[in-house]
Amino acid sequence: MSALEIRNVRKDFGRTRVLREVSLSIDSGEFLILVGPSGCGKSTLMNAIAGLEPVTDGSILIGNEEVTWRTPAERDIAMVFQSYALYPSMTVRQNIAFGLEMRKVPKAEREATVERVAKLLQITPLLDRKPSQLSGGQRQRVAMGRAIARQPTVYLFDEPLSNLDAKLRVEMRTEIKKLHQTLGTTIVYVTHDQIEAMTLADRIAVMREGRLLQLGTPDEVYNDPVDMFVASFMGSPSMNFIPAQLVRDEHGISLAIGAASDPYRLPFPAARTTPDLDAWVGRRVVLGLRPEHISERTPWGEEDANTHPLTTEVTVAEPTGADILLRVRLGEDEVNARVSPKQNVTPGDRLPLQVDMARAVLFDPERETRIA
Amino acid sequence: MDNVIRVQTPGALLARGGIYAALIFMAVVYLAPLLVMLLTSVKTLEDIRAGNLLSLPREITFQPWLHAWSEACTGIRCEGIGGYVWNSVQIVVPAVVISTAIGALNGYALTKWRFKGQEWVFGMLLFGCFIPFQVILLPMAQTLGWLGLGSTTTGLVLVHVVYGIAFTTLFFRNYYVNVPDELIAAAKLDGAGFFRIFLRILLPVSTPIIVVTVIWQFTQVWNDFLFGVAYSSHETQPVTVALNNVVNSTTGVREYNVDMAAAMIAALPTLLVYVLAGKYFVRGLTAGSVKG
């Protein structure tokens, strides 16, 4: 059953088109993340789902019921806001119970729910405090408690972690994931943080300029992006875009990188070539390679048909602890590579590396769309 | 002590001394009239004739205050201004309560329930702040006549409410504009409606601005003379008008001490309100945001 369905939703603010024909559907119990740069329309879409802003055209269904013109209160939803939006004059207990009170839930039941939710989120000792007496992380928990108390069909999270410090953000991220697993709730979650998107989502919807570019599992969005925008938005450091020429030689289709006189050649995996690719032979394309696909040489790399050696100069080395991020020369450009921290790297060194082409992608340099 | 590191050279110290001297001088000049009023109001008439304005009373008497309260003549009647103080209270209390309540609702609607033409509405309200009293004297007299409220307390309350709404709306609007919209959105999602959100979410955090508005409106309405003299009868006159009559209708010997006592009585309520709530007044004027 689809918990939430959005059909051809458009939203205009005067002449500005904020949402252009967005359609998507979320299954019950699914965790959907809307990502995109600021101004892409993800928050507007969220507000449209919540009923806080009317849509210009299209319809919204929650639990198979048309709710496009219903007030927020009449939709079976709860929302966690970026600023938490806790009622400043009420205690934590009153904050959590307010929605139930407005829906005329009997007092005894309200109290039982508050206790249950507080226990689940470990905020029982805070129940009689005011929001101003809480830390950022505690407020975040209370905001989630307020949403959970009502047990709605759909939960909306509007950048809920963006006001927390880095360490707390990671903790709360895990907490939210755990909560989703225990409660089996349907969640729509807006963020601009691609790591949050990758770690939390069942499916990710990448948005740009009011359009839904790609809707897929984190794995699909990461490894199989529909265009250069999605490819560059997901992953950090982002995918390398390497200008190359598509050529055909005795091994099949290859990419020639660098000076035309002495190019570095990378064969494109035969299994991934499509008939459409023939039209691109002899033309300029953009090769997309993630930094982790350019790494130190490994024993398996020498045997793998899709892995090719590359010895090149290192210009910058940035150790992150878990691994080392490198800037290395490739053809006439510099690209990002990721090597094990065991490597002893000094800028200026020539380092033997390998390029794993198994997940390489090709883009049209003009339209920035995917070609293979 | 204040936490500032200052230059301690003799020149700097001298400059500071100069600043303090100037400030103290200004304060004395500013307070002198009040002091003169207070001193004169507790002097006997002989005392006043004998000394100058600032001389201390030889004996303190509260007779002028009692006289002003219950015996001073306003026109042909000699019943003191006590009854008129009560008239003023009857005008001020409803006028302040109603105009504050409407201002709060207006401010809430203008900031949290956006509607088409709201900027125009707010613009017109703002315009209302700049209309001088004199301009509306005649049309308002006519309106009150039509409504059958001429020379009544209700009529005066209405005038002050209408005139006050522009200011109270402005105050509340500027305060509520700083309350995050997400708070209202959250309450809407929780199922609360227009009035419920106002009463349960906004009103509890509005104390500072309510105090500011009440002080402002109380002072404005209590001190009003023009509307009071124009739209009241002898029975409904506010104390400001009565004070004027006390001072102007004396025949024979001018009782300065009674005049001063009457003026002090007329001014005391506003002073009292400020002393009691002034702390909030400053806080409400400076702090706008709600942390939560």
Side-chain angles (χ1 to χ4, degrees):
Chain A
M1 192 195 91
S2 79
L4 169 71
E5 203 177 334
I6 293 159
R7 290 183 188 156
N8 305 320
V9 162
R10 279 203 308 124
K11 173 76 186 174
D12 301 340
F13 284 123
R15 286 229 185 126
T16 324
R17 293 188 167 176
V18 188
L19 293 175
R20 319 179 186 213
E21 301 276 322
V22 175
S23 294
L24 55 86
S25 150
I26 302 155
D27 289 333
S28 190
E30 194 175 5
F31 200 134
L32 178 90
I33 290 202
L34 301 173
V35 286
S38 39
C40 72
K42 56 189 193 295
S43 288
T44 308
L45 184 58
M46 184 74 108
N47 285 340
I49 298 170
L52 295 169
E53 271 173 37
V55 297
T56 310
D57 198 12
S59 53
I60 297 167
L61 288 84
I62 293 174
N64 290 330
E65 260 183 85
E66 165 94 38
V67 299
T68 317
W69 293 105
R70 287 202 200 158
T71 65
E74 293 166 331
R75 303 176 182 208
D76 200 10
I77 44 170
M79 190 158 170
V80 177
F81 293 89
Q82 185 173 6
S83 65
Y84 317 134
L86 301 178
Y87 309 129
S89 61
M90 299 185 196
T91 61
V92 169
R93 189 188 299 278
Q94 289 165 328
N95 261 283
I96 296 174
F98 188 71
L100 300 171
E101 192 192 329
M102 292 297 112
R103 283 174 166 75
K104 306 205 164 49
V105 174
K107 195 157 190 263
E109 200 178 317
R110 276 193 332 242
E111 277 166 9
T113 308
V114 171
E115 293 298 332
R116 181 175 54 78
V117 167
K119 211 171 152 197
L120 181 72
L121 292 166
Q122 296 159 356
I123 49 173
T124 311
L126 309 176
L127 280 178
D128 293 312
R129 292 208 199 157
K130 291 278 180 67
S132 56
Q133 298 166 297
L134 303 177
S135 69
Q138 290 169 334
R139 286 179 201 189
Q140 170 66 53
R141 276 168 201 273
V142 176
M144 291 208 295
R146 197 169 59 179
I148 292 168
R150 288 218 332 263
Q151 299 187 295
T153 312
V154 180
Y155 290 84
L156 306 176
F157 285 74
D158 189 4
E159 308 213 15
L161 304 182
S162 58
N163 284 344
L164 299 178
D165 63 61
K167 188 166 174 282
L168 206 52
R169 198 178 308 160
V170 175
E171 280 174 29
M172 288 308 291
R173 205 167 70 198
T174 318
E175 198 107 354
I176 291 176
K177 183 139 196 170
K178 229 192 270 172
L179 213 59
H180 175 242
Q181 281 161 1
T182 33
L183 298 177
T185 49
T186 312
I187 298 179
V188 181
Y189 186 114
V190 164
T191 181
H192 58 255
D193 180 339
Q194 45 94 16
I195 297 177
E196 259 174 49
M198 291 295 293
T199 51
L200 287 173
D202 290 326
R203 280 195 299 164
I204 296 175
V206 186
M207 292 185 65
R208 185 195 193 187
E209 290 169 3
R211 284 200 184 85
L212 181 59
L213 294 182
Q214 187 169 5
L215 175 63
T217 63
D219 185 61
E220 280 165 3
V221 172
Y222 189 77
N223 290 316
D224 208 6
V226 294
D227 64 10
M228 282 172 72
F229 176 79
V230 176
S232 67
F233 193 77
M234 305 304 290
S236 172
S238 63
M239 185 183 267
N240 295 304
F241 292 129
I242 305 154
Q245 179 127 23
L246 204 67
V247 292
R248 185 187 291 280
D249 55 21
E250 63 274 24
H251 307 296
I253 288 190
S254 285
L255 292 138
I257 300 160
S261 53
D262 179 27
Y264 173 69
R265 284 199 174 206
L266 277 172
F268 193 70
R272 305 250 329 264
T273 53
T274 58
D276 300 344
L277 211 52
D278 287 338
W280 287 89
V281 171
R283 290 166 67 182
R284 310 286 314 171
V285 296
V286 171
L287 165 66
L289 266 181
R290 296 234 174 245
E292 60 267 30
H293 299 144
I294 307 173
S295 59
E296 72 272 19
R297 295 218 178 129
T298 58
W300 60 262
E302 297 187 10
E303 289 157 26
D304 185 61
N306 287 326
T307 305
H308 312 282
L310 167 72
T311 301
T312 186
E313 187 194 335
V314 175
T315 55
V316 183
E318 298 172 327
T320 67
D323 42 29
I324 307 175
L325 300 175
L326 300 179
R327 294 285 288 172
V328 299
R329 288 200 185 285
L330 179 60
E332 285 156 340
D333 295 303
E334 283 185 6
V335 295
N336 290 312
R338 193 191 284 265
V339 299
S340 146
K342 288 179 198 149
Q343 296 289 308
N344 196 358
V345 196
T346 330
D349 282 358
R350 282 184 73 79
L351 201 66
L353 297 172
Q354 66 181 26
V355 179
D356 180 4
M357 288 293 285
R359 290 192 156 160
V361 286
L362 299 180
F363 299 101
D364 177 337
E366 261 117 54
R367 295 165 59 207
E368 305 203 336
T369 50
R370 180 82 178 275
I371 45 184
Chain B
M1 283 307 288
D2 50 359
N3 281 318
V4 182
I5 297 170
R6 293 198 175 85
V7 181
Q8 298 286 357
T9 60
L13 288 175
L14 200 67
R16 295 200 63 72
I19 289 170
Y20 276 111
L23 288 174
I24 289 165
F25 175 73
M26 304 278 186
V28 168
V29 169
Y30 205 79
L31 283 173
L34 183 66
L35 186 68
V36 168
M37 275 177 73
L38 198 62
L39 287 176
T40 311
S41 76
V42 292
K43 283 181 190 171
T44 59
L45 273 176
E46 294 81 55
D47 214 348
I48 294 170
R49 280 189 219 102
N52 65 25
L53 278 179
L54 281 166
S55 63
L56 293 176
R58 268 176 290 177
E59 58 170 319
I60 291 174
T61 169
F62 292 106
Q63 201 50 47
W65 284 69
L66 295 174
H67 189 78
W69 181 260
S70 53
E71 287 158 37
C73 297
T74 56
I76 47 165
R77 296 189 203 191
C78 293
E79 295 160 347
I81 62 165
Y84 300 100
V85 170
W86 176 236
N87 278 354
S88 272
V89 170
Q90 282 178 299
I91 297 164
V92 168
V93 171
V96 169
V97 170
I98 297 170
S99 62
T100 304
I102 295 178
L105 271 174
N106 280 351
Y108 165 54
L110 280 169
T111 50
K112 303 301 173 201
W113 295 77
R114 304 278 158 98
F115 52 91
K116 260 206 178 113
Q118 58 149 4
E119 255 145 53
W120 191 82
V121 170
F122 182 59
M124 294 309 282
L125 275 167
L126 255 185
F127 190 63
C129 296
F130 297 102
I131 298 175
F133 279 18
Q134 294 83 341
V135 173
I136 64 162
L137 268 184
L138 271 175
M140 187 52 93
Q142 242 169 352
T143 310
L144 288 177
W146 285 330
L147 294 171
L149 294 174
S151 305
T152 63
T153 303
T154 317
L156 270 172
V157 169
L158 179 74
V159 176
H160 284 299
V161 167
V162 169
Y163 209 88
I165 282 175
F167 292 93
T168 57
T169 302
L170 179 69
F171 288 157
F172 278 98
R173 186 248 172 217
N174 287 351
Y175 186 77
Y176 288 151
V177 101
N178 290 315
V179 174
D181 289 346
E182 287 192 342
L183 217 53
I184 310 303
K188 280 185 195 172
L189 283 159
D190 267 343
F194 182 87
F195 285 103
R196 206 83 76 97
I197 293 174
F198 178 66
L199 294 174
R200 295 285 303 272
I201 313 294
L202 274 185
L203 214 51
V205 297
S206 306
T207 315
I209 199 65
I210 291 174
V211 172
V212 168
T213 312
V214 165
I215 291 180
W216 172 268
Q217 278 299 90
F218 188 95
T219 313
Q220 290 294 310
V221 180
W222 186 275
N223 288 345
D224 163 67
F225 177 76
L226 193 58
F227 289 153
V229 78
Y231 305 136
S232 66
S233 71
H234 200 85
E235 277 66 45
T236 55
Q237 266 171 5
V239 68
T240 44
V241 179
L243 173 64
N244 174 67
N245 292 347
V246 166
V247 175
N248 283 341
S249 66
T250 322
T251 49
V253 186
R254 210 167 243 289
E255 294 175 293
Y256 287 111
N257 51 358
V258 175
D259 293 353
M260 294 299 179
M264 287 299 293
I265 290 170
L268 268 182
T270 47
L271 269 176
L272 214 64
V273 164
Y274 187 77
V275 168
L276 289 179
K279 185 174 73 173
Y280 290 98
F281 188 71
V282 177
R283 209 184 287 167
L285 282 182
T286 50
S289 67
V290 179
K291 286 185 186 147

